Structures are given as C-alpha cells and as structure tokens.
Amino acid sequence: MTDISGRIAGRLRALRQGRGWSLDRAAQATGVSKAMLGQIERGESSPTVATLWKIAAGFETSFSALLEDAPQGEGMLLRSSAGGDWPTDDGSIQVRSLFPYDPALGIEFFVIELQPGACHQSVPHAAGVTEHVIPVSGSLEVCVDGRWQAVARGEGLRFAADRPHAYRNGGSAPVLFHNLIHYRHSQAAPCGPGSGAL
C-alpha cells in the first residue's frame, strides 16, 4: 500500500464510520460501487481523480481533505506544489495541491496541468460550491451547463461548480492553471479520524 493509498483508505473509512454508513449506503451517496469503495478502504485500489471527486461530493466534503490535513497555524504559510501529484485517470491531467482545504477560509487551491487534446469531465460538487480557474500558461476552455468558454492567460473564470463541468485543452502544448474552490463553511466536513460530518 502506498502512502497516498493509505491516507485515502483511512480517511474514507473514518468518513463512512463517522456517519454510520454501510458500504452500500456510501455507494448510493457517491455513485462509486460498493466493491470499489471496499478496495479503496483496504488500500487495494488507488482511486482516480474522477472517483475521488465522486466520493467527496457524496460525502459533502472537500477533495483535498481526502488526502491531506488542513494547514496549521496562522500568519504566513509558504507551500510548494512540487512532488504533490495526486492520482490521475490516464495521465492527461495532473493535479497538485498548493493549499489543501482550510475550514477557516472554506477554500482549497490546486495547480493543474492539462495535456494537449485532453478533456476532463468533472462531477457536480455540492450545492453552493464555486470554482475559480486562472490559466498560468496557455489557454483552456471550460464547459458549464453545456456552454464552452475560452479562458486565456491573464484571465480568470468563476462559475458555480454544483453542476456538470469540464476542462479542455485544444492546443498543442500543456496548459497549466490554478483552480481555487470555495465551499460554504458548512459543506466541507473534516475527514480526520474521529471527525463527524456536518
């Protein structure tokens, strides 16, 4: 079992047990099969980005809280996204955490790289969740409610993420972009051992 698989396994188990849910109930809430959830909890399977989003949405928790502890302390906090790759589906998208979910602020911040020709579909997040997308290099397209919007370097796009949305790179080079996700404070329940769901 890799370190990341072990962290995900422990947090998923704590989330499920904190709610008193069976694997069947968790499967109904997340849309992830009972068999797959069991494999993840036992550390036998490393879930993809899409699967992790389904789990986070079903449990109404943040994506990064499934993998990382919230930042501690106040004042300045310097972090690097280097070496922080998270599970990817097929190598077409690379997700790194710059700032994991902070319950005091209700946000998490990612650095995402989308390969040429890639299109990544995202499941709807909980009601009221907002995303902010800011390209750092290149240009990408974001689809919300079936409408594609081009977003170039130097621009930013904010949208309601509680509906199906997607990211697409139609260029010939990878696109690097920042993704800030804002949750209502009552939405993203902590995932640590012994934590309950809000």
Side-chain angles (χ1 to χ4, degrees):
M1 182 187 302
T2 64
D3 287 346
I4 196 166
S5 295
R7 286 199 300 273
I8 295 169
R11 287 164 194 250
L12 174 56
R13 190 180 310 111
L15 260 182
R16 186 175 62 78
Q17 292 175 349
R19 296 218 178 171
W21 285 3
S22 65
L23 282 171
D24 281 323
R25 176 67 183 86
Q28 291 172 1
T30 63
V32 178
S33 72
K34 174 183 175 180
M36 175 58 72
L37 290 172
Q39 289 173 4
I40 295 169
E41 280 198 13
R42 295 189 298 273
E44 298 170 358
S45 176
S46 293
T48 63
V49 168
T51 299
L52 283 175
W53 268 121
K54 287 181 180 180
I55 292 170
F59 279 98
E60 296 183 348
T61 192
S62 68
F63 181 86
S64 59
L66 291 170
L67 301 146
E68 243 185 302
D69 292 325
Q72 299 297 314
E74 298 180 1
M76 287 194 298
L77 176 63
L78 178 66
R79 284 177 52 91
S80 171
S81 64
D85 297 354
W86 289 357
T88 57
D89 303 312
D90 56 7
S92 64
I93 185 170
Q94 197 170 41
V95 181
R96 301 183 185 106
S97 170
L98 190 58
F99 293 100
Y101 176 71
D102 186 326
L105 301 174
I107 64 169
E108 56 189 354
F109 195 107
F110 303 106
V111 177
I112 301 176
E113 186 174 42
L114 194 61
Q115 297 304 312
C119 183
H120 178 74
Q121 300 283 338
S122 183
V123 298
H125 308 322
V129 173
T130 304
E131 285 196 32
H132 305 73
V133 174
I134 308 102
V136 176
S137 66
S139 173
L140 79 155
E141 294 175 283
V142 179
C143 182
V144 182
D145 285 336
R147 177 183 166 214
W148 287 97
Q149 174 66 53
V151 190
R153 180 181 175 185
E155 296 180 328
L157 178 69
R158 180 175 64 194
F159 61 92
D162 54 1
R163 58 205 67 191
H165 50 284
Y167 311 97
R168 181 169 68 191
N169 178 5
S172 58
V175 171
L176 190 70
F177 64 97
H178 289 161
N179 184 218
L180 184 146
I181 301 179
H182 180 259
Y183 299 81
R184 290 180 181 169
H185 287 292
S186 62
Q187 290 173 327
C191 290
S195 64
L198 299 180

PDB file of all heavy atoms in Angstrom, residues 165-181:
ATOM      1  N   HIS A 165     -19.357  20.030 -15.224  1.00  0.00           N
ATOM      2  CA  HIS A 165     -18.453  20.961 -15.879  1.00  0.00           C
ATOM      3  C   HIS A 165     -17.239  20.197 -16.388  1.00  0.00           C
ATOM      4  O   HIS A 165     -16.998  19.064 -15.988  1.00  0.00           O
ATOM      5  CB  HIS A 165     -18.049  22.106 -14.941  1.00  0.00           C
ATOM      6  CG  HIS A 165     -17.555  21.682 -13.600  1.00  0.00           C
ATOM      7  ND1 HIS A 165     -18.397  21.233 -12.593  1.00  0.00           N
ATOM      8  CD2 HIS A 165     -16.301  21.624 -13.082  1.00  0.00           C
ATOM      9  CE1 HIS A 165     -17.687  20.937 -11.523  1.00  0.00           C
ATOM     10  NE2 HIS A 165     -16.414  21.148 -11.787  1.00  0.00           N
ATOM     11  N   ALA A 166     -16.510  20.822 -17.296  1.00  0.00           N
ATOM     12  CA  ALA A 166     -15.388  20.133 -17.925  1.00  0.00           C
ATOM     13  C   ALA A 166     -14.311  21.136 -18.301  1.00  0.00           C
ATOM     14  O   ALA A 166     -14.569  22.342 -18.446  1.00  0.00           O
ATOM     15  CB  ALA A 166     -15.864  19.379 -19.175  1.00  0.00           C
ATOM     16  N   TYR A 167     -13.085  20.611 -18.460  1.00  0.00           N
ATOM     17  CA  TYR A 167     -11.944  21.408 -18.882  1.00  0.00           C
ATOM     18  C   TYR A 167     -11.384  20.777 -20.153  1.00  0.00           C
ATOM     19  O   TYR A 167     -11.257  19.557 -20.238  1.00  0.00           O
ATOM     20  CB  TYR A 167     -10.853  21.419 -17.812  1.00  0.00           C
ATOM     21  CG  TYR A 167     -11.360  21.737 -16.429  1.00  0.00           C
ATOM     22  CD1 TYR A 167     -11.644  20.720 -15.519  1.00  0.00           C
ATOM     23  CD2 TYR A 167     -11.565  23.052 -16.028  1.00  0.00           C
ATOM     24  CE1 TYR A 167     -12.128  21.002 -14.253  1.00  0.00           C
ATOM     25  CE2 TYR A 167     -12.050  23.345 -14.767  1.00  0.00           C
ATOM     26  CZ  TYR A 167     -12.319  22.315 -13.881  1.00  0.00           C
ATOM     27  OH  TYR A 167     -12.802  22.600 -12.638  1.00  0.00           O
ATOM     28  N   ARG A 168     -10.999  21.608 -21.123  1.00  0.00           N
ATOM     29  CA  ARG A 168     -10.484  21.079 -22.378  1.00  0.00           C
ATOM     30  C   ARG A 168      -9.277  21.896 -22.838  1.00  0.00           C
ATOM     31  O   ARG A 168      -9.268  23.117 -22.758  1.00  0.00           O
ATOM     32  CB  ARG A 168     -11.578  21.147 -23.448  1.00  0.00           C
ATOM     33  CG  ARG A 168     -11.181  20.588 -24.812  1.00  0.00           C
ATOM     34  CD  ARG A 168     -12.407  20.451 -25.697  1.00  0.00           C
ATOM     35  NE  ARG A 168     -12.984  21.747 -26.070  1.00  0.00           N
ATOM     36  CZ  ARG A 168     -14.169  21.883 -26.665  1.00  0.00           C
ATOM     37  NH1 ARG A 168     -14.920  20.814 -26.928  1.00  0.00           N
ATOM     38  NH2 ARG A 168     -14.624  23.083 -26.978  1.00  0.00           N
ATOM     39  N   ASN A 169      -8.255  21.184 -23.314  1.00  0.00           N
ATOM     40  CA  ASN A 169      -7.075  21.818 -23.883  1.00  0.00           C
ATOM     41  C   ASN A 169      -7.021  21.475 -25.364  1.00  0.00           C
ATOM     42  O   ASN A 169      -6.656  20.367 -25.741  1.00  0.00           O
ATOM     43  CB  ASN A 169      -5.809  21.328 -23.171  1.00  0.00           C
ATOM     44  CG  ASN A 169      -4.538  21.916 -23.770  1.00  0.00           C
ATOM     45  OD1 ASN A 169      -4.593  22.759 -24.661  1.00  0.00           O
ATOM     46  ND2 ASN A 169      -3.392  21.466 -23.282  1.00  0.00           N
ATOM     47  N   GLY A 170      -7.379  22.421 -26.212  1.00  0.00           N
ATOM     48  CA  GLY A 170      -7.371  22.191 -27.644  1.00  0.00           C
ATOM     49  C   GLY A 170      -6.065  22.575 -28.303  1.00  0.00           C
ATOM     50  O   GLY A 170      -5.937  22.473 -29.530  1.00  0.00           O
ATOM     51  N   GLY A 171      -5.084  22.984 -27.505  1.00  0.00           N
ATOM     52  CA  GLY A 171      -3.808  23.427 -28.052  1.00  0.00           C
ATOM     53  C   GLY A 171      -2.812  22.295 -28.234  1.00  0.00           C
ATOM     54  O   GLY A 171      -3.121  21.120 -28.010  1.00  0.00           O
ATOM     55  N   SER A 172      -1.598  22.665 -28.612  1.00  0.00           N
ATOM     56  CA  SER A 172      -0.544  21.682 -28.872  1.00  0.00           C
ATOM     57  C   SER A 172       0.463  21.588 -27.734  1.00  0.00           C
ATOM     58  O   SER A 172       1.424  20.825 -27.811  1.00  0.00           O
ATOM     59  CB  SER A 172       0.192  22.046 -30.171  1.00  0.00           C
ATOM     60  OG  SER A 172       0.750  23.354 -30.075  1.00  0.00           O
ATOM     61  N   ALA A 173       0.265  22.343 -26.676  1.00  0.00           N
ATOM     62  CA  ALA A 173       1.156  22.320 -25.517  1.00  0.00           C
ATOM     63  C   ALA A 173       0.327  22.168 -24.245  1.00  0.00           C
ATOM     64  O   ALA A 173      -0.857  22.531 -24.223  1.00  0.00           O
ATOM     65  CB  ALA A 173       1.983  23.607 -25.464  1.00  0.00           C
ATOM     66  N   PRO A 174       0.930  21.630 -23.182  1.00  0.00           N
ATOM     67  CA  PRO A 174       0.186  21.515 -21.922  1.00  0.00           C
ATOM     68  C   PRO A 174      -0.270  22.886 -21.415  1.00  0.00           C
ATOM     69  O   PRO A 174       0.382  23.897 -21.652  1.00  0.00           O
ATOM     70  CB  PRO A 174       1.214  20.900 -20.956  1.00  0.00           C
ATOM     71  CG  PRO A 174       2.213  20.224 -21.838  1.00  0.00           C
ATOM     72  CD  PRO A 174       2.287  21.074 -23.079  1.00  0.00           C
ATOM     73  N   VAL A 175      -1.408  22.899 -20.738  1.00  0.00           N
ATOM     74  CA  VAL A 175      -1.929  24.111 -20.112  1.00  0.00           C
ATOM     75  C   VAL A 175      -1.784  23.958 -18.603  1.00  0.00           C
ATOM     76  O   VAL A 175      -2.167  22.943 -18.032  1.00  0.00           O
ATOM     77  CB  VAL A 175      -3.418  24.326 -20.464  1.00  0.00           C
ATOM     78  CG1 VAL A 175      -3.997  25.465 -19.636  1.00  0.00           C
ATOM     79  CG2 VAL A 175      -3.580  24.626 -21.943  1.00  0.00           C
ATOM     80  N   LEU A 176      -1.204  24.959 -17.979  1.00  0.00           N
ATOM     81  CA  LEU A 176      -1.078  24.990 -16.528  1.00  0.00           C
ATOM     82  C   LEU A 176      -2.038  26.033 -15.998  1.00  0.00           C
ATOM     83  O   LEU A 176      -2.052  27.167 -16.482  1.00  0.00           O
ATOM     84  CB  LEU A 176       0.357  25.347 -16.134  1.00  0.00           C
ATOM     85  CG  LEU A 176       0.719  25.198 -14.651  1.00  0.00           C
ATOM     86  CD1 LEU A 176       0.768  23.727 -14.263  1.00  0.00           C
ATOM     87  CD2 LEU A 176       2.079  25.860 -14.377  1.00  0.00           C
ATOM     88  N   PHE A 177      -2.876  25.639 -15.041  1.00  0.00           N
ATOM     89  CA  PHE A 177      -3.809  26.622 -14.481  1.00  0.00           C
ATOM     90  C   PHE A 177      -4.007  26.416 -12.988  1.00  0.00           C
ATOM     91  O   PHE A 177      -3.789  25.336 -12.460  1.00  0.00           O
ATOM     92  CB  PHE A 177      -5.142  26.621 -15.224  1.00  0.00           C
ATOM     93  CG  PHE A 177      -5.960  25.349 -15.131  1.00  0.00           C
ATOM     94  CD1 PHE A 177      -6.992  25.227 -14.213  1.00  0.00           C
ATOM     95  CD2 PHE A 177      -5.720  24.298 -16.005  1.00  0.00           C
ATOM     96  CE1 PHE A 177      -7.759  24.077 -14.150  1.00  0.00           C
ATOM     97  CE2 PHE A 177      -6.489  23.139 -15.951  1.00  0.00           C
ATOM     98  CZ  PHE A 177      -7.515  23.027 -15.025  1.00  0.00           C
ATOM     99  N   HIS A 178      -4.368  27.489 -12.330  1.00  0.00           N
ATOM    100  CA  HIS A 178      -4.707  27.456 -10.915  1.00  0.00           C
ATOM    101  C   HIS A 178      -6.202  27.260 -10.783  1.00  0.00           C
ATOM    102  O   HIS A 178      -6.989  27.795 -11.571  1.00  0.00           O
ATOM    103  CB  HIS A 178      -4.289  28.749 -10.218  1.00  0.00           C
ATOM    104  CG  HIS A 178      -2.810  28.897 -10.075  1.00  0.00           C
ATOM    105  ND1 HIS A 178      -2.200  30.097  -9.834  1.00  0.00           N
ATOM    106  CD2 HIS A 178      -1.809  27.990 -10.140  1.00  0.00           C
ATOM    107  CE1 HIS A 178      -0.894  29.935  -9.745  1.00  0.00           C
ATOM    108  NE2 HIS A 178      -0.638  28.660  -9.934  1.00  0.00           N
ATOM    109  N   ASN A 179      -6.590  26.488  -9.786  1.00  0.00           N
ATOM    110  CA  ASN A 179      -8.006  26.203  -9.550  1.00  0.00           C
ATOM    111  C   ASN A 179      -8.289  26.406  -8.066  1.00  0.00           C
ATOM    112  O   ASN A 179      -7.801  25.655  -7.227  1.00  0.00           O
ATOM    113  CB  ASN A 179      -8.310  24.767  -9.979  1.00  0.00           C
ATOM    114  CG  ASN A 179      -9.780  24.393  -9.863  1.00  0.00           C
ATOM    115  OD1 ASN A 179     -10.117  23.285  -9.502  1.00  0.00           O
ATOM    116  ND2 ASN A 179     -10.664  25.309 -10.173  1.00  0.00           N
ATOM    117  N   LEU A 180      -9.045  27.455  -7.764  1.00  0.00           N
ATOM    118  CA  LEU A 180      -9.426  27.734  -6.381  1.00  0.00           C
ATOM    119  C   LEU A 180     -10.886  27.330  -6.225  1.00  0.00           C
ATOM    120  O   LEU A 180     -11.736  27.768  -7.000  1.00  0.00           O
ATOM    121  CB  LEU A 180      -9.238  29.218  -6.060  1.00  0.00           C
ATOM    122  CG  LEU A 180      -9.510  29.611  -4.604  1.00  0.00           C
ATOM    123  CD1 LEU A 180      -8.581  30.742  -4.190  1.00  0.00           C
ATOM    124  CD2 LEU A 180     -10.957  30.039  -4.398  1.00  0.00           C
ATOM    125  N   ILE A 181     -11.151  26.492  -5.234  1.00  0.00           N
ATOM    126  CA  ILE A 181     -12.514  26.020  -4.985  1.00  0.00           C
ATOM    127  C   ILE A 181     -12.987  26.556  -3.635  1.00  0.00           C
ATOM    128  O   ILE A 181     -12.293  26.410  -2.624  1.00  0.00           O
ATOM    129  CB  ILE A 181     -12.587  24.482  -5.011  1.00  0.00           C
ATOM    130  CG1 ILE A 181     -12.116  23.976  -6.385  1.00  0.00           C
ATOM    131  CG2 ILE A 181     -13.999  23.995  -4.712  1.00  0.00           C
ATOM    132  CD1 ILE A 181     -12.123  22.471  -6.523  1.00  0.00           C
TER     133      ILE A 181
END
